[in-house]
Amino acid sequence: MNKMSIKRDDVVVVLSGKDKGKQGKVLEVQPKAGKVVVEKINIVSRHTKPRKQGEEGGILKKEAPIYACKVQRVCPKCSQPTRPAHKVLADGKKVRVCKKCGAEI
């Protein structure tokens, strides 16, 4: 299992691909695949049949997973894309900190 520095509800910016430069919130993390699902990023069309009575079929738009290496966390304090550093507090708790401004993430 891969250790990922990106967690659910983090705000990230896309570094490459068709959505380069866009920001979004992480909805889901898939550590075994090394991928993340980001809100309103990598939208794909899915053709679906109605399975139950009253359910709609047709072409649905949904977010597809993208590789975690293609996104970078945005610091909530300085609004800069950064790789998080780790710091051990006095009570032994490990926290993520911004490499640019030093704020606790």
Side-chain angles (χ1 to χ4, degrees), residues 8-67:
R8 206 169 114 224
D9 294 330
D10 283 351
V11 176
V12 294
V13 64
V14 181
L15 300 175
S16 65
K18 65 180 182 184
D19 294 316
K20 182 179 179 176
K22 290 184 183 176
Q23 286 189 8
K25 191 170 86 169
V26 176
L27 301 175
E28 182 186 341
V29 178
Q30 300 169 354
K32 284 188 178 176
K35 294 184 177 190
V36 291
V37 176
V38 185
E39 187 177 44
K40 296 179 184 159
I41 303 292
N42 197 23
I43 301 291
V44 294
S45 298
R46 170 126 188 175
H47 295 70
T48 57
K49 277 185 168 179
R51 296 287 175 200
K52 299 180 202 130
Q53 191 172 5
E55 190 178 279
E56 289 238 353
I59 302 170
L60 302 175
K61 303 271 187 195
K62 66 178 274 186
E63 292 101 354
I66 58 172
Y67 282 105

